[in-house]
C-alpha cells in the first residue's frame, strides 16, 4: 500500500476517532511509515490516557483487507475494480435516472459512524437537500436519538456527559463507562477520592457496578417506574429544590399527582428493585443534591418506552437542582460556526420524509427520517418507493433489527452504493463500493460541548485513490449539476475555514493548538438570565408540544412489551447492544489481536436458567424469537452477573448477527426506537 505521511519522521498530534470520545493522540512516523499511536496530554478529555481501541488506529489504517479501489458488482455477484471516475459517473447517472422516474425523494442517504461524525453528517444532509430528497437516515435511529429526545423535551438541550469529577453522587442508568468511555474513569476516580457516592442501575453487573455503593438490577425496561419512585420519594420527603422548581419549571403539580402511584412497594413489584433500595437511593440523592451527576446510557433507550423513561430521569435531575451545574445536566454553549446543512435554504416542505408520519417528533426535532420505516419503502410498501440509497460508514445489515427484512429491502434497491473501509455485510449487497478514508486521512473540525473546546484534526496520512468524505459528496454533486453551487470548496481545508469563519478562530491558530481552544468560558445556571430553549422557556415536566401530537404530556410509565404481552413460548429476555472494550459496534472485529480476546460470539446466560434448560457451558444453542433465530455458543456467567431470565448477546458481530432475532415493529411512539434490550425469546438445545 502506497502511503503519503504528513512528515517523513516525527510525531503528529491529532484526535482519535476510533470512538466518539475524541482523545488526543500522538501518531509516530518513521521513514514515512506510521509506527505507533500513543496517548497525548494537554486535552482535558483524556488527560494523557488512551484505551486499547485507540491504540489500534494503525491496525485499521494498514489493514490488508481495506478497500482501496472502487468496486462494481457483476451479474454473478462478484466485484470488479473500476476507476473512481467510472464509479462516480455511473452512480450519478443512476441517481438521475431514479430522480427522473420516481422523483428525488426516491433516493435516500444513510450515515453511520465508521467514516466520521458531525462534519460528515452535515455533508450528507447537505447533499440530500441539494439533490432534492428529504430522506436523510442515520444510525441515530437506533442509538442516541432517544437519549437526545428524553433530555431535549424536558430542557431543550442535551449535553451527553456531565463532569463527574465534582459530583457528590454519581447515578448511572444503563451505562458502562469503563468500556464505553474509558478516559472518563479519571473523573470517577477524582470524585470517589473526594468521597462521592456511586449508584449503578443496570440489569447487568457491569464492571463499574462492582464499585458502587448501591447496585440496583431492575427488570429490563422498567427504569421509568424506578425513576417515578425516586421522584415520588423526593417530593414526599421535601427532598427537592423547591425554589428552583417554582421559578424555572412547569408541570410540577401534574408530575406530583402522577408520581403518587409509585410507592416504594409498588416500585419493587414493578421493577424487582427492593423498596428499601429505592428509599436509600432517594436519600443519597437528597443528601447530595444539587451535586448529582445523573447519566443515562443506551441501556434505557433501546426500549419501546425509552424516551419517557429517560424524560422521567431528566426531570429527576432537575428536581435535584442539578440543571446546568458543573457536574449536572449541562446546558452547553455552542461555537459560533457555520452549519453546512441546507434546511433553511431548501426546506423541501412539499416532500414527505419517510417515517415522519409515524414518528413526527424525530423528524421535527432531529430532521431525520426513520430507518425503522425505510425498509418498508424499499420493499414497495410505503407511500412511494425508495429506489436508491447511498450508505456511508454504516452497516445496517448487521446493526439494524430484523436482519432478514433489512437484507431483503436492500436487495430490492435499483442502486445501493456503500462508502466504507471494509467489505461489510452491507457492502456485499451493494452495486458499487467506494473506498472510504479512515480518520487519520481527514482533517476536520470537532467540538467538545462538555468543555466548550474546538479542535482541528490533522491529516496524518493519505493513500492515493482514497478520498475523504468531502471529496466524495463534492465529486458526486458536481456530476449531478449542483456541485458548483452547494459544494464550492475545493477540499476539506477550505470547508474547515468556511465553518470556522464566524467564530473568529482561525484555521492556522487551531492547527497550532492540537489540544484545542476553548471557544467560550464555561458558565453555569444560565437559565437565571435567559430562557431555556423549550417552547415555554422553562423546564417542561409536562410538554404541551407532545400533548398536541397526541403523545404523553408527562412521561407516563408504560410497562415494557414483555410484561404487557406475556408469551410462554418466549420465556427469556434477550438484551443486546452492550459494548465491548475492543469493538465499536460492528467495527474492529477484523483486528487480529482483538479477535484473540473475542474469537466468537456467545450468549451469556444465568447458571440457573442454563441448568433448567439442561445447557452446558460452551454448548451450541439456538436463540429463537417470533422473528428469527440464531445458533450461537452458550456461556454460563456468574449468577450475580445477570438477572435470571435475561440473556445477553453482543450486537455487532458480522458472523453471528443477533438482529436476525430482534424486531423492528414494536417501537417507541416518540423516537421510533425498536426494543433491542428486552426481546422475548427462548433458547433451544440443538439436536445432533
Ligand atoms: S476512548 Fe479509546 S477509542 Fe475512544 S477516542 Fe479515546 S482512545 Fe480512541
Amino acid at each position: 500500500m502506497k502511503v503519503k505521511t504528513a512528515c517523513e519522521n516525527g510525531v503528529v498530534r491529532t484526535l482519535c476517532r476510533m470512538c466518539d470520545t475524541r482523545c488526543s493522540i500522538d501518531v509516530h512516523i518513521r521513514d514515512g511509515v506510521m509506527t505507533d499511536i500513543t496517548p497525548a496530554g494537554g486535552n482535558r478529555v483524556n488527560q494523557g490516557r488512551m484505551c486499547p481501541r485507540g491504540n489500534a488506529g494503525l491496525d485499521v489504517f494498514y489493514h490488508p483487507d481495506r478497500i482501496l479501489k472502487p468496486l462494481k458488482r457483476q451479474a454473478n455477484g462478484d466485484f470488479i475494480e473500476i476507476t473512481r471516475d467510472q464509479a462516480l459517473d455511473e452512480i450519478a447517472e443512476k441517481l438521475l435516472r431514479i430522480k427522473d422516474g420516481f422523483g428525488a425523494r426516491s433516493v435516500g442517504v444513510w450515515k453511520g459512524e465508521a467514516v466520521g461524525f458531525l462534519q460528515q453528517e452535515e455533508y450528507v444532509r447537505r447533499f440530500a437537500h441539494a439533490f432534492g430528497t428529504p430522506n436523510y437516515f442515520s444510525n441515530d435511529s437506533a442509538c442516541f436519538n432517544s437519549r437526545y429526545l428524553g433530555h431535549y423535551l424536558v430542557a431543550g438541550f442535551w449535553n451527553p456527559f456531565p463532569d463527574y469529577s465534582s459530583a457528590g453522587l454519581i447515578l448511572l442508568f444503563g451505562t458502562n463507562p469503563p468500556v464505553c468511555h474509558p478516559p472518563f474513569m479519571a473523573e470517577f476516580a477524582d470524585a470517589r477520592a473526594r468521597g462521592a457516592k456511586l449508584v449503578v442501575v443496570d440489569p447487568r453487573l457491569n464492571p463499574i457496578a462492582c464499585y458502587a455503593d448501591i447496585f440496583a438490577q431492575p427488570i429490563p425496561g422498567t427504569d421509568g417506574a424506578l425513576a417515578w419512585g425516586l421522584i415520588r420519594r423526593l417530593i414526599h420527603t421535601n427532598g427537592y429544590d423547591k425554589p428552583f422548581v417554582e421559578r424555572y419549571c412547569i408541570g410540577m403539580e401534574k408530575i406530583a399527582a402522577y408520581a403518587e402511584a409509585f410507592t416504594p412497594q409498588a416500585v419493587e413489584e414493578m421493577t424487582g428493585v427492593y423498596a428499601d433500595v429505592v428509599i436509600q437511593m432517594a436519600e443519597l440523592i437528597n443528601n447530595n443534591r444539587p451535586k448529582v451527576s445523573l447519566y443515562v446510557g443506551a441501556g434505557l433507550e433501546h426500549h419501546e418506552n425509552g424516551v419517557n423513561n429517560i424524560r422521567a430521569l431528566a426531570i429527576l435531575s432537575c428536581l435535584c437542582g442539578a440543571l446546568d451545574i458543573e457536574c449536572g445536566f449541562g446546558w452547553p454553549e455552542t461555537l459560533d460556526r457555520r452549519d453546512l446543512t441546507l434546511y433553511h435554504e431548501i426546506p423541501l416542505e412539499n416532500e414527505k420524509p419517510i417515517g415522519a408520519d409515524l414518528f413526527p417528533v424525530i423528524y421535527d426535532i432531529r430532521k431525520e427520517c426513520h430507518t425503522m420505516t425505510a425498509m418498508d419503502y424499499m420493499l414497495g410498501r410505503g407511500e412511494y418507493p425508495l429506489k436508491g440509497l447511498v450508505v456511508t460508514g454504516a452497516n445496517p445489515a448487521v446493526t439494524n433489527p430484523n436482519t432478514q427484512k433489512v437484507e431483503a429491502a436492500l436487495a430490492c434497491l435499483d442502486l445501493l452504493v456503500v462508502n466504507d473501509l471494509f467489505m461489510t455485510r452491507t457492502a456485499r449487497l451493494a452495486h458499487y463500493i467506494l473506498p472510504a478514508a479512515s480518520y487519520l486521512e481527514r482533517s476536520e473540525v470537532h467540538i467538545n460541548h462538555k468543555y466548550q473546546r474546538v479542535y482541528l484534526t490533522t491529516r496524518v496520512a493519505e493513500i492515493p485513490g482514497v478520498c475523504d468524505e468531502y471529496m466524495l459528496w463534492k465529486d458526486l454533486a458536481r456530476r449531478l449539476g449542483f456541485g458548483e453551487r452547494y459544494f464550492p470548496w475545493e477540499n476539506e481545508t477550505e470547508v474547515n475555514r468556511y465553518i470556522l469563519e464566524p467564530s473568529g478562530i482561525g484555521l492556522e491558530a487551531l492547527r497550532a493548538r492540537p489540544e484545542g481552544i476553548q471557544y467560550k468560558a464555561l458558565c453555569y445556571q444560565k437559565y437565571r438570565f435567559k430562557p431555556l430553549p423549550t417552547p415555554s422557556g422553562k423546564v417542561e415536566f409536562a410538554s404541551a408540544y407532545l400533548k398536541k401530537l397526541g403523545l404523553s404530556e408527562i412521561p407516563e410509565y408504560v410497562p415494557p412489551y414483555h410484561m404487557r404481552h406475556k408469551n410462554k413460548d418466549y420465556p427469556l429476555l434477550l438484551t443486546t447492544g452492550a459494548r465491548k472494550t475492543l469493538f465499536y459496534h460492528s467495527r474492529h472485529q477484523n483486528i487480529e489481536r482483538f479477535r484473540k480476546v473475542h474469537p466468537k460470539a456467545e450468549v451469556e446466560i444465568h447458571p440457573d436458567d442454563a441448568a433448567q434448560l439442561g445447557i452446558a457451558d460452551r454448548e451450541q444453542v439456538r436463540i429463537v424469537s417470533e422473528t428469527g433465530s440464531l445458533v450461537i455458543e452458550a456461556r454460563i456467567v456468574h449468577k450475580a452477573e445477570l438477572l435470571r431470565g435475561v440473556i445477553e448477546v453482543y450486537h455487532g458481530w458480522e458472523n453471528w448477527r443477533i438482529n436476525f432475532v430482534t424486531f423492528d415493529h414494536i417501537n417507541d411512539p416518540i423516537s421510533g426506537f425498536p426494543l433491542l434490550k428486552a426481546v422475548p425469546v427462548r433458547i433451544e438445545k440443538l439436536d445432533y
Side-chain angles (χ1 to χ4, degrees):
M1 183 196 292
K2 274 192 197 151
V3 176
K4 188 174 153 215
T5 45
C7 60
E8 194 57 17
N9 285 287
V11 175
V12 180
R13 186 159 292 183
T14 189
L15 293 184
C16 173
R17 297 301 274 154
M18 296 285 278
C19 86
D20 62 350
T21 310
R22 288 166 284 188
C23 300
S24 278
I25 52 167
D26 284 333
V27 182
H28 300 255
I29 303 172
R30 195 179 308 145
D31 298 331
V33 176
M34 293 181 285
T35 54
D36 200 5
I37 291 180
T38 54
N43 182 356
R44 240 183 111 181
V45 173
N46 61 313
Q47 300 175 41
R49 297 173 187 82
M50 191 178 75
C51 81
R53 208 166 44 212
N55 182 253
L58 299 183
D59 297 60
V60 171
F61 183 93
Y62 287 115
H63 200 289
D65 295 343
R66 261 193 80 171
I67 294 169
L68 300 173
K69 296 257 167 57
L71 301 172
K72 179 179 179 180
R73 186 148 57 90
Q74 305 299 288
N76 66 2
D78 291 345
F79 285 93
I80 55 160
E81 285 184 3
I82 54 173
T83 65
R84 188 166 185 272
D85 277 340
Q86 184 189 341
L88 294 181
D89 286 347
E90 290 183 13
I91 292 166
E93 189 260 59
K94 287 178 166 56
L95 288 173
L96 286 174
R97 206 185 303 157
I98 293 170
K99 190 176 186 173
D100 287 346
F102 303 94
R105 64 185 184 174
S106 285
V107 168
V109 289
W110 186 318
K111 187 240 154 214
E113 288 187 347
V115 295
F117 296 82
L118 181 65
Q119 195 159 322
Q120 281 68 32
E121 176 178 327
E122 290 185 2
Y123 297 152
V124 182
R125 287 178 182 267
R126 186 177 183 90
F127 177 87
H129 269 221
F131 184 77
T133 175
N135 290 320
Y136 163 80
F137 304 96
S138 91
N139 287 3
D140 294 349
S141 283
C143 184
F144 172 73
N145 273 346
S146 271
R147 273 179 288 171
Y148 181 91
L149 290 179
H151 291 81
Y152 180 92
L153 290 163
V154 171
F157 55 84
W158 182 53
N159 183 12
F161 304 113
D163 186 343
Y164 300 106
S165 51
S166 59
L169 170 66
I170 298 170
L171 199 46
L172 302 176
F173 277 77
T175 185
N176 187 10
V179 167
C180 304
H181 303 107
F184 294 165
M185 294 315 293
E187 289 181 6
F188 279 82
D190 286 350
R192 291 293 269 169
R194 283 186 307 89
K197 300 290 183 193
L198 175 65
V199 172
V200 174
V201 180
D202 204 308
R204 171 91 210 211
L205 179 78
N206 62 40
I208 200 159
C210 300
Y211 302 96
D213 296 284
I214 294 178
F215 170 47
Q217 280 181 294
I219 298 163
T222 63
D223 306 76
L226 179 56
W228 277 108
L230 296 170
I231 290 171
R232 180 189 178 277
R233 188 78 192 160
L234 292 185
I235 294 172
H236 270 243
T237 55
N238 253 330
Y240 70 100
D241 189 336
K242 214 168 179 179
F244 170 80
V245 169
E246 282 172 0
R247 189 145 180 207
Y248 299 109
C249 307
I250 57 167
M252 181 63 189
E253 31 345 289
K254 287 182 177 157
I255 65 156
Y258 184 75
E260 270 314 293
F262 295 83
T263 63
Q265 203 54 48
V267 171
E268 179 175 325
E269 280 157 27
M270 289 184 240
T271 65
V273 176
Y274 292 126
D276 285 354
V277 172
V278 179
I279 293 168
Q280 285 168 24
M281 281 173 70
E283 262 170 30
L284 273 181
I285 294 171
N286 188 16
N287 293 342
N288 288 286
R289 68 183 171 84
K291 294 198 159 195
V292 176
S293 283
L294 195 163
Y295 182 74
V296 181
L300 268 71
E301 62 180 352
H302 292 148
H303 294 280
E304 86 291 3
N305 57 4
V307 174
N308 275 344
N309 291 350
I310 295 165
R311 275 173 80 199
L313 286 168
I315 288 172
L316 185 68
S317 267
C318 296
L319 286 173
C320 298
L323 187 74
D324 203 21
I325 63 169
E326 190 177 5
C327 63
F329 178 179
W331 182 7
E333 292 187 272
T334 52
L335 175 73
D336 186 11
R337 60 171 285 251
R338 284 207 185 93
D339 180 334
L340 296 175
T341 64
L342 294 169
Y343 289 91
H344 298 297
E345 208 171 323
I346 310 174
L348 298 179
E349 267 156 7
N350 299 324
E351 298 292 353
K352 202 165 177 189
I354 290 175
D357 47 352
L358 277 174
F359 309 113
V361 177
I362 204 77
Y363 190 78
D364 190 24
I365 293 175
R366 298 282 300 158
K367 291 285 173 285
E368 183 166 336
C369 300
H370 215 293
T371 62
M372 295 309 126
T373 36
M375 308 308 157
D376 287 326
Y377 278 67
M378 291 181 216
L379 289 163
R381 301 175 196 152
E383 210 179 298
Y384 55 87
L386 187 61
K387 292 281 185 185
L389 187 66
V390 184
V391 176
T392 180
N395 193 3
V398 171
T399 56
N400 260 55
N402 199 346
T403 302
Q404 43 280 67
K405 183 174 169 187
V406 174
E407 289 201 330
L410 294 174
C412 280
L413 290 166
D414 289 355
L415 175 67
L416 174 61
V417 179
V418 170
N419 180 56
D420 213 310
L421 283 84
F422 297 106
M423 181 65 82
T424 62
R425 284 274 182 182
T426 307
R428 285 186 214 179
L429 300 169
H431 300 99
Y432 295 89
I433 306 173
L434 299 170
S438 73
Y439 77 92
L440 292 167
E441 295 148 75
R442 304 194 302 261
S443 170
E444 50 198 15
V445 176
H446 290 283
I447 296 163
N448 181 310
H449 286 113
K450 177 171 169 179
Y451 301 121
Q452 294 182 184
R453 293 182 82 82
V454 55
Y455 306 83
L456 182 72
T457 61
T458 309
R459 186 182 295 247
V460 188
E462 280 175 56
I463 303 171
V466 176
C467 295
D468 60 50
E469 280 281 291
Y470 176 68
M471 295 307 277
L472 162 67
W473 299 109
K474 183 199 87 170
D475 290 346
L476 208 43
R478 291 198 177 178
R479 282 167 168 82
L480 290 163
F482 54 83
E484 275 74 19
R485 176 156 184 201
Y486 292 115
F487 289 82
W489 312 282
E490 273 315 303
N491 52 41
E492 226 168 21
T493 302
E494 286 187 17
V495 179
N496 292 339
R497 205 180 297 283
Y498 172 80
I499 289 173
L500 283 170
E501 213 166 54
S503 73
I505 298 173
L507 203 58
E508 284 66 34
L510 206 49
R511 198 173 282 135
R513 298 269 301 276
E515 74 282 8
I517 291 176
Q518 186 161 35
Y519 55 84
K520 234 173 228 175
L522 293 161
C523 161
Y524 300 106
Q525 297 184 321
K526 297 178 284 294
Y527 54 80
R528 289 174 183 269
F529 50 86
K530 61 177 179 181
L532 286 162
T534 57
S536 64
K538 296 195 168 193
V539 173
E540 299 199 340
F541 293 170
S543 165
Y545 165 76
L546 289 177
K547 189 179 176 188
K548 205 168 154 200
L549 289 169
L551 296 161
S552 44
E553 183 184 18
I554 62 165
E556 289 167 12
Y557 170 69
V558 177
Y561 175 77
H562 63 88
M563 286 182 158
R564 303 195 311 273
H565 301 274
K566 287 195 186 296
N567 186 336
K568 63 178 175 23
D569 291 337
Y570 305 110
L572 298 172
L573 281 183
L574 165 71
T575 80
T576 70
R579 300 254 193 100
K580 288 192 184 298
T581 309
L582 300 179
F583 297 162
Y584 193 63
H585 306 301
S586 64
R587 292 156 60 192
H588 312 329
Q589 289 162 43
N590 55 2
I591 296 175
E592 214 179 309
R593 58 194 169 116
F594 288 179
R595 279 304 280 273
K596 285 188 177 143
V597 181
H598 299 300
K600 58 185 159 184
E602 53 199 14
V603 52
E604 296 174 68
I605 182 167
H606 191 283
D608 295 346
D609 291 325
Q612 193 178 344
L613 292 162
I615 290 169
D617 196 31
R618 301 297 169 195
E619 180 178 342
Q620 292 287 310
V621 295
R622 183 182 289 111
I623 306 174
V624 184
S625 74
E626 62 183 69
T627 307
S629 65
L630 180 75
V631 173
I632 190 169
E633 188 173 286
R635 184 167 78 81
I636 300 174
V637 299
H638 187 276
K639 64 182 178 197
E641 278 187 68
L642 275 176
L643 279 178
R644 259 211 86 172
V646 175
I647 61 170
E648 185 175 316
V649 178
Y650 183 68
H651 60 291
W653 286 103
E654 281 263 324
N655 293 333
W656 294 272
R657 286 179 285 171
I658 192 57
N659 282 320
F660 274 114
V661 176
T662 61
F663 15 99
D664 60 345
H665 64 285
I666 309 294
N667 307 94
D668 185 309
I670 301 175
S671 67
F673 266 45
L675 70 154
L676 298 176
K677 288 200 162 54
V679 185
V681 295
R682 66 171 176 269
I683 287 191
E684 295 172 350
K685 279 174 78 73
L686 296 187
D687 296 325
Y688 291 106

